[in-house]
Amino acid sequence: PSPPVSRWARQPLPARNAPCPCGSGRRYRQCCGAVGVHTGPGTTTPGSTAASAANPSVQPATLLAEALRRHHAGRVDEARALYEAVLAQEPDNAHALHFLGLIRWQSGDRDGGEALVRRSLAARPEAAEFHANLALCLHEAGRFDDAIAASRAALALAPDQVQALNNLGLSLKERGDYDDALACFDRVLALAPDFAEARWNRDVTLRSRGRSG
């Protein structure tokens, strides 16, 4: 069977001592990375998804952290409810907009998903992974020129992001720009020699270039 040829640039959970992605200025372990759901100063409870989402005393940053954890664990419906709860309190929360947009896109609501992803980019245009994910959405929709533009926007911010390079190569290949696509895959493999998807994509592109000639 063929290996997968594309990859979402999902934001990894931060290291415990890294700055929290919610923008609080605190370390992740002291903020969104704290175990459980915080319902107020000094209190921590595990809480169900429904109870957490419906409880207005739960801070958006805590809801977002729990949504990210559940999304990473594959509990997509629970993550969706928590992202929606974040947006009920903070309608412009970039991370909730972005990852809810990806869930909607992958669930078949391409228009709604793309709209949310674009709103997340309006809120955080400096987020390279957001541009990379938009590029993959556009690629899957067959909008290769738009996908190439989004991948290049990601790479302008993070030139060595291998997911964005891989996805740019895929879109260039589909447009028939085989040499430029191969340059992308070569760059990925120079940065990440074990990136099996890029190696496969390079081989497929070489065969496609040979047939076109």
Side-chain angles (χ1 to χ4, degrees), residues 11 20-23 64 92-99 116-131 157:
Q11 179 167 308
C20 190
C22 75
L64 177 61
D92 295 324
N93 186 290
H95 285 84
L97 287 167
H98 188 77
F99 290 107
L116 289 174
V117 170
R118 289 192 181 278
R119 282 181 59 195
S120 75
L121 279 166
R124 285 200 61 191
E126 76 283 2
E129 69 273 15
F130 288 9
H131 291 279
L157 294 162

Side-chain angles (χ1 to χ4, degrees), residues 32-79:
C32 292
V35 177
V37 175
H38 296 261
T39 56
T43 63
T44 304
T45 61
S48 69
T49 303
S52 300
N55 186 347
S57 68
V58 180
Q59 295 298 308
T62 302
L63 291 171
L64 177 61
E66 189 64 22
L68 290 169
R69 280 193 287 267
R70 297 190 191 200
H71 200 168
H72 277 264
R75 296 158 65 180
V76 175
D77 289 341
E78 296 175 11

Side-chain angles (χ1 to χ4, degrees), residues 173 178 204-213:
K173 171 191 170 292
Y178 299 120
V204 170
T205 302
L206 280 170
R207 292 196 294 271
S208 297
R209 185 177 67 172
R211 287 193 299 269
S212 73

Side-chain angles (χ1 to χ4, degrees), residues 3-188:
V5 295
S6 58
R7 177 180 295 191
W8 298 97
R10 293 190 181 92
Q11 179 167 308
L13 292 177
R16 297 283 288 165
N17 289 319
C20 190
C22 75
S24 67
R26 292 182 290 172
R27 293 182 179 181
Y28 178 66
R29 66 180 172 82
Q30 297 169 328
C31 188
C32 292
V35 177
V37 175
H38 296 261
T39 56
T43 63
T44 304
T45 61
S48 69
T49 303
S52 300
N55 186 347
S57 68
V58 180
Q59 295 298 308
T62 302
L63 291 171
L64 177 61
E66 189 64 22
L68 290 169
R69 280 193 287 267
R70 297 190 191 200
H71 200 168
H72 277 264
R75 296 158 65 180
V76 175
D77 289 341
E78 296 175 11
R80 181 201 300 261
L82 290 165
Y83 290 137
E84 290 172 345
V86 173
L87 294 172
Q89 297 188 52
E90 293 184 353
D92 295 324
N93 186 290
H95 285 84
L97 287 167
H98 188 77
F99 290 107
L100 180 60
L102 295 186
I103 288 174
R104 288 192 179 176
W105 177 276
Q106 292 167 318
S107 299
D109 179 11
R110 288 188 168 185
D111 290 342
E114 181 181 341
L116 289 174
V117 170
R118 289 192 181 278
R119 282 181 59 195
S120 75
L121 279 166
R124 285 200 61 191
E126 76 283 2
E129 69 273 15
F130 288 9
H131 291 279
N133 284 337
L134 174 61
L136 187 51
C137 291
L138 297 169
H139 178 91
E140 289 184 351
R143 294 161 56 186
F144 301 123
D145 288 344
D146 291 339
I148 288 167
S151 289
R152 285 178 170 155
L155 292 167
L157 294 162
D160 293 339
Q161 189 188 78
V162 293
Q163 293 94 340
L165 282 164
N166 184 62
N167 295 337
L168 176 58
L170 286 171
S171 297
L172 289 167
K173 171 191 170 292
E174 292 300 324
R175 201 173 66 174
D177 296 340
Y178 299 120
D179 289 343
D180 289 342
L182 288 168
C184 289
F185 299 135
D186 286 343
R187 177 64 177 156
V188 173

